[in-house]
DNA sequence: TGCCCCATGTAACCGGTTACATGATTGG
DNA sequence: CCAATCATGTAACCGGTTACATGGGGCA
């Protein structure tokens, strides 16, 4: 399971509260690993109990206390262990593939709209990624190790979205030719 | 949830028993949607109770009876409904992305082997897909509607694997440059 | 007054994974 | 004789999703 390790990584990048993490999972990290705040609080509690992370309560005027978590030695050890443990291959799982095969027993045209919608989503996400790339990794700049790796992950996102985009176009072309 | 609909589609392609379906999910359909036999039996039971499918017990000498399922009118209706219902976007979820960001706080070289392994897996799968394409969809042949759509799905698989393959190479290049 | 943001959780449910269980036939 | 294949399931667990719950501060 990678959520633990995604959180550990995020906390290494910068200590944070559950709430902070939830917002991060709606942004940067969330582009390749999603998590709700409920999930995050649960896992934080588990990791705290296991001694992987430590919480410092930070009093705030008016607001509830903020529990800011930091990664401890055991957490780093666990992350190192996980990094060296091989993962199973990342396999495709696609509702759209099922829909295409199902469409053969119905009117194929009825899924065209779906692919148009998906295309829009992926195009929007891709545009966003390209923005990030332009903003954070300008050509010619010398990047830190951390930044280089973050850029690499962003590239995988760009590739993913580009692939989907192309496929959505191809699918619509084929579906229209069948109508 | 698409498992129900994947099974309905598979049963429309050809009526089958739970065991048959499990084998199909290890092959063709399984390349874009995985399911274990336990899952399949559970869902078959549920769909039978809901009246989407009907079972005919087929006696076999020596063996346990085979329950062959066929899609009924309600099943077709459900599939049609689902086909027209828009899906949420297919979002990236990648353990490898987490590993890359985590690697910044460890020795980046320690994940190189992982990407080499993933590359091998994806290369093998891609080769298999290309075999299928050559075997089932020879250039110039006139394809049925069903075959055309199956080919389209296969193409998405090819694109997926190609994308991963490229990314694995790129990742290894970058990781080596950081060492 | 009402809504969004900050900040933290609990609880129920559900799908997917893993382990366990049974029992006959076929082939090396 | 043993292993693989055919054929069907049950049960426990676990991660992810959705709904519910609380409560103050800032702003229109």
């Amino acid at each position: 399971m990678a959520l633990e390790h995604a959180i550990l990584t995020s906390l290494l990048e910068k200590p944070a509260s559950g709430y902070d993490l939830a917002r991060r999972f709606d942004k940067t990290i969330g582009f390749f690993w999603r998590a709700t705040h409920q999930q995050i609080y649960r896992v934080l509690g588990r990791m705290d109990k296991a001694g992987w992370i430590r919480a410092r309560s930070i009093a705030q005027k008016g607001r509830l206390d903020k529990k800011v978590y930091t990664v401890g030695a055991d957490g780093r050890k666990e992350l190192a262990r996980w990094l060296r443990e091989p993962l199973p291959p990342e396999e495709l799982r696609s509702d759209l593939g099922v829909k295409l095969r199902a469409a053969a027993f119905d009117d194929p045209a009825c899924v065209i709209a779906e692919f148009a919608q998906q295309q829009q989503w992926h195009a929007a996400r891709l545009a966003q990624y390209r923005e990030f790339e332009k903003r954070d990794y300008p050509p010619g700049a010398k990047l830190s190790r951390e930044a280089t790796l973050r850029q690499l992950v962003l590239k995988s996102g760009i590739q993913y979205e580009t692939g989907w985009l192309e496929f959505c176009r191809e699918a619509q072309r084929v579906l229209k030719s069948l109508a």
Side-chain angles (χ1 to χ4, degrees), chain A residues 88-100:
Chain A
E90 311 227 1
E91 285 182 338
L92 180 60
R93 173 168 264 213
S94 165
D95 292 72
L96 289 176
V98 178
K99 279 207 176 184
L100 283 176

Side-chain angles (χ1 to χ4, degrees), chain A residues 11 17-18 27 76 92 123-124 131 146 159 165 167 175-176:
Chain A
L11 290 178
S17 68
K27 286 190 228 123
R76 278 181 176 270
L92 180 60
E131 268 309 300
E146 242 184 284
Q159 191 169 57
L165 211 54
F167 182 66
L175 287 165
K176 275 171 193 164

Side-chain angles (χ1 to χ4, degrees), chain A residues 13-46:
Chain A
E13 285 169 0
K14 193 171 196 294
S17 68
Y19 188 84
D20 296 334
L21 285 168
R23 274 181 312 169
R24 285 189 206 167
F25 273 87
D26 281 339
K27 286 190 228 123
T28 47
I29 325 165
F31 290 128
F32 56 94
W33 200 274
R34 247 142 310 293
T36 60
H37 78 272
Q38 294 92 329
Q39 241 180 308
I40 289 166
Y41 283 118
R42 201 206 298 175
V43 171
L44 282 174
R46 205 154 61 202

Side-chain angles (χ1 to χ4, degrees), chain A residues 67-146:
Chain A
K67 278 199 256 179
V68 173
Y69 291 93
T70 336
V71 180
D74 284 3
R76 278 181 176 270
K77 229 179 282 177
E78 166 56 24
L79 196 59
R81 187 201 60 74
W82 177 73
L83 266 180
R84 283 157 184 84
E85 178 194 60
L87 294 168
E90 311 227 1
E91 285 182 338
L92 180 60
R93 173 168 264 213
S94 165
D95 292 72
L96 289 176
V98 178
K99 279 207 176 184
L100 283 176
R101 281 179 86 125
F105 302 96
D106 198 317
D107 175 19
C110 82
V111 292
I112 292 178
E114 173 94 72
F115 280 90
Q117 177 64 71
Q118 294 276 335
Q119 188 185 328
Q120 277 195 3
W121 272 321
H122 290 297
R125 183 54 66 94
L126 180 59
Q128 204 179 8
Y129 285 171
R130 291 212 193 282
E131 268 309 300
F132 291 158
E133 200 176 37
K134 209 167 60 179
R135 190 193 61 195
D136 299 332
Y137 316 102
K142 204 170 174 297
L143 299 173
S144 68
R145 194 168 73 167
E146 242 184 284

